[in-house]
């Protein structure tokens, strides 16, 4: 997380429990990522003041989202009347719910209206307030490349800059006994059937439903992050044989141009397609995956645009593509251990 629970509790002074903060802190991060164009995923600031601003923004937004959730939970339980300690009866807060407009109607009997309650009643108000918090918290804050986090221009102006990842989450505690998992296990997820009508038992509470949804979103986010590192690695090592065997490459290049040599059957090209994974039509690896497919697409597109200005039709065998999908699923399975 951009701001862990220790920071939230000790530096920011937050009052949520660790479990609540994990849930709403993640939600806050997702809203911030959406507003900042995911810059924190690849250009996380290294400046201490910028990092502190990000952490404070996460904490403030997490508190706000928690308050909205608390209001809505209270409202869902507030139909009818409630007996007071002195024996009197008081009307509860909620008067109506409209699912189509995602709004909740409240009576004046419950409590005085606040900005947070207005946000709980109206999603548009909530979205406006959330954007305002992020704008106020991160306005003028640069990423690791000096680009304002709120800059929304396309394309990103520093596309070739080094990647700077956010800090990794530290585990709260180590397992009490050895885990029988492979060395390539990167992600542990907890078994939770509560977010699917096909697997959930009857009687699931709204809180259990929320928890299951949050867990699933976090699981997918963790897997996508690991896959993104693999994509980064493929990009970093793309066409590595052009540099490691550059003189051989140049020799065959000149020999083809000047003497009409067969470049495809030459020594360098054959080494190239056997050593690298993205030439799927020339030498498809048995464990081909969708990262290889992405690299092939990027390779062909960039080469066409830079060399001739035209992108040739991309050809890929359906069997190769289907195998890449299956192998990617197996790759993810090999990264994940399910507990519980």
């Amino acid at each position: 997380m951009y701001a862990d629970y220790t920071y939230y509790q000790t530096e920011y002074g937050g009052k949520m429990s660790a479990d609540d903060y994990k849930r709403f802190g993640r939600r806050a991060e997702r809203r911030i990522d959406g507003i900042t164009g995911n810059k924190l995923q690849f250009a996380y600031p290294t400046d201490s003041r910028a990092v502190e601003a990000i952490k404070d923004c996460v904490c403030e937004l997490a508190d706000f989202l928690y308050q909205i959730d608390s209001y809505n939970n209270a409202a869902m339980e507030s139909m009818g009347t409630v007996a007071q300690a002195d024996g009197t009866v008081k009307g509860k807060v909620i008067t109506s719910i409209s699912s189509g407009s995602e709004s909740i109607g409240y009576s004046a009997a419950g409590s005085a209206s606040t900005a947070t309650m207005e946000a709980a009643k109206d999603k548009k108000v909530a979205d406006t307030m959330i954007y305002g918090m992020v704008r106020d918290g991160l306005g003028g804050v640069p990423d690791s490349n000096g680009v304002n986090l709120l800059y929304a221009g396309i394309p990103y102006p520093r596309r070739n800059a080094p990647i700077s990842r956010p800090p990794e989450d530290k585990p709260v505690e180590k397992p009490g006994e050895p885990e029988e998992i492979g060395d390539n296990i990167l992600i542990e997820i907890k078994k939770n059937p509560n977010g699917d009508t096909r697997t959930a038992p009857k009687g699931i509470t709204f809180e259990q439903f929320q928890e299951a949804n949050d867990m699933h979103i976090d699981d997918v986010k963790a897997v996508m992050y690991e896959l993104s590192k693999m994509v980064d690695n493929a990009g970093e090592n793309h066409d590595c044989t052009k540099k490691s065997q550059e003189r051989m490459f140049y020799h065959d290049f000149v020999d083809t141009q000047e003497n009409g040599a067969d470049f495809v059957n030459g020594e360098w090209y054959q080494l190239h397609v056997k050593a690298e994974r993205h030439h799927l039509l020339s030498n498809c690896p048995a464990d081909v995956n969708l990262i290889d497919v992405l690299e092939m697409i990027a390779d062909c597109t960039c080469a066409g645009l830079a060399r001739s200005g035209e992108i040739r039709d991309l050809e890929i065998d359906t069997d190769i593509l289907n195998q890449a999908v299956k192998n990617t699923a197996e790759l993810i399975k090999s990264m994940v251990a399910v507990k519980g």
Side-chain angles (χ1 to χ4, degrees), residues 224-239:
M224 293 299 291
Y225 175 60
E226 293 300 331
L227 290 175
S228 75
K229 291 196 291 186
M230 294 179 186
V231 173
D232 287 342
N233 186 62
E236 289 289 334
N237 292 288
H238 177 73
D239 278 353

Side-chain angles (χ1 to χ4, degrees), residues 2-3 7 12 21 44 50-60:
Y2 301 150
Y7 183 91
Y12 182 76
Y21 179 72
Y44 193 85
V51 170
E52 184 176 0
I54 292 166
K55 290 182 176 180
D56 286 346
C57 188
V58 170
C59 295
E60 180 183 12

Side-chain angles (χ1 to χ4, degrees), residues 62-97:
D63 272 348
F64 178 67
L65 295 173
Y66 173 76
Q67 290 167 11
I68 289 178
D69 189 75
S70 297
Y71 274 122
N72 283 335
N73 285 340
M76 294 297 291
E77 298 172 356
S78 296
M79 295 182 179
T81 59
V82 62
Q84 303 296 300
D86 59 3
T88 61
V89 174
K90 181 180 180 181
K92 290 189 175 182
V93 181
I94 193 167
T95 58
S96 65
I97 300 175

Side-chain angles (χ1 to χ4, degrees), residues 33-39 42 131 138-143 146-159:
D33 282 343
I35 292 170
T36 59
N38 285 314
K39 294 185 186 71
F42 62 86
Y131 179 80
L138 300 183
V141 176
D143 67 15
V147 178
N148 192 311
L149 285 173
L150 297 180
Y151 172 78
I154 299 175
Y156 181 72
R158 296 290 306 282
R159 286 176 289 173

Side-chain angles (χ1 to χ4, degrees), residues 159-190:
R159 286 176 289 173
N160 297 321
I163 291 174
S164 175
R165 295 292 192 190
E168 297 281 356
D169 289 346
K170 296 180 180 179
V172 176
E173 60 183 30
K174 295 182 179 179
E177 55 187 44
E179 296 288 333
E180 295 181 0
I181 55 179
D183 293 337
N184 60 332
I185 295 297
L186 301 173
I187 302 159
E188 291 185 352
I189 65 178
K190 292 182 179 179

Side-chain angles (χ1 to χ4, degrees), residues 71 106 113-123 125-126 129:
Y71 274 122
Y106 295 81
S113 176
T114 65
T116 306
M117 183 175 285
E118 290 301 314
K121 292 160 57 178
D122 190 327
K123 186 177 183 299
V125 174
M129 292 182 66

